[in-house]
Amino acid sequence: MTVTVDLSERVAVVTGGTRGVGAGIARAFLEAGARVVVCARRPPEKPDGGTDFRPVDLRDPEATSAAFRQVGEDYGRLDILVNNAGGSPHRLLGDADAVRHARVVELNLIAPLNASLAAYELMHRQADGGAVIMIGSVSGTRPSPGAAAYGAAKAGLDNLARTMAVEWAPARIRVNTVVLGMVRTELSHLHYGDDDGIAAIGRTVPLGRLAEPDEVGDACVFLASDRARYISGASLAVHGGGERPAYQGAKEP
């Protein structure tokens, strides 16, 4: 039996959907038949056929609300929000002041909150509610040297999602988190080096490789679909098995 997910006529917004993981998520929703709006501060370098780009700084609550109201006016509804926009440069805590670290928290926690609240204004008026998906990170549950503010924000994002799931359940809005490990994107070389470096990093993952953006998209499509209609407040790990215990690499003297 072939199992397919049909999101025809559903309207999805993917934040940060112009490249990398976000672009993979947007493609997955397009393939499932959804109408896809991607938003970011800057337009994509190459148009991604089928998506509707909207410029918005998600850190600005008024601009975010206005952008989502326009989506509602243009499409008549909003069924799915994927809070993917985020990221952080490698920066040790002592190498920057609190203001710079706060900007990382703003992008990775406050911006998803802004977008979710704007989406709620549309979704809670719909008889069938909607689905909100947070893109989390394994950095939210482990020490992350060089990305402390990012990890703290992702930890907060997971708790925010679980609380939203409880508060918004009466409005039939499901909220879940996809917890990512390492993903191979067009920017992977900045973190891991050339192809040999990426392959070496991939070998540290139990499944032997980094995730592909489209695989993250598949997880999001599932959580947004009716096949996950009773799943809310959950955290779905998409990390290839996580990390091998450090002691397995230890050698006897």
Side-chain angles (χ1 to χ4, degrees):
M1 179 179 69
T2 300
V3 178
T4 60
V5 174
D6 183 5
L7 298 180
S8 298
E9 303 308 316
R10 307 276 182 95
V11 178
V13 169
V14 180
T15 70
T18 59
R19 66 181 183 180
V21 172
I25 294 170
R27 286 192 297 271
F29 277 103
L30 285 173
E31 291 172 2
R35 293 177 289 176
V36 181
V37 177
V38 297
C39 57
R41 285 178 292 170
R42 292 179 292 273
E45 295 180 1
K46 297 180 180 179
D48 193 354
T51 61
D52 177 6
F53 172 73
R54 306 290 176 98
V56 61
D57 185 346
L58 296 162
R59 298 169 298 182
D60 182 335
E62 292 183 1
T64 302
S65 294
F68 276 73
R69 283 196 300 271
Q70 191 62 54
V71 169
E73 292 175 9
D74 292 344
Y75 289 90
R77 61 184 298 109
L78 174 62
D79 302 286
I80 302 155
L81 166 63
V82 182
N83 279 308
N84 165 76
S88 173
H90 185 275
R91 181 182 292 138
L92 295 175
L93 281 170
D95 290 343
D97 59 21
V99 172
R100 288 196 177 185
H101 292 305
R103 289 174 182 165
V104 173
V105 175
E106 185 180 24
L107 176 60
N108 291 280
L109 179 58
I110 304 304
L113 174 60
N114 290 338
S116 298
L117 290 172
Y120 174 82
E121 290 304 313
L122 298 171
M123 291 179 176
H124 87 278
R125 296 186 175 93
Q126 300 170 170
D128 49 357
V132 176
I133 300 169
M134 308 293 195
I135 300 301
S137 170
V138 295
S139 292
T141 55
R142 71 177 186 192
S144 300
Y150 174 80
K154 290 300 187 180
L157 188 68
D158 186 64
N159 184 275
L160 177 65
R162 292 174 186 271
T163 303
M164 282 180 175
V166 174
E167 290 194 10
W168 294 357
R172 299 161 302 283
I173 298 173
R174 297 184 297 105
V175 187
N176 293 291
T177 302
V178 174
V179 182
L180 300 186
M182 295 177 289
V183 184
R184 180 166 185 162
T185 71
E186 63 268 34
L187 299 179
S188 290
H189 65 282
L190 298 178
H191 303 282
Y192 311 126
D194 59 14
D195 287 347
D196 289 340
I198 292 172
I201 293 296
R203 287 192 291 272
T204 70
V205 178
L207 283 183
R209 63 177 177 83
L210 277 60
E212 297 293 336
D214 290 356
E215 293 172 320
V216 179
D218 289 340
C220 292
V221 166
F222 165 69
L223 287 174
S225 75
D226 291 340
R227 293 188 174 274
R229 60 188 175 273
Y230 198 65
I231 299 176
S232 192
S235 297
L236 175 61
V238 181
H239 56 20
E243 299 176 340
R244 293 186 180 90
Y247 72 81
Q248 290 190 349
K251 295 181 179 180
E252 295 183 2

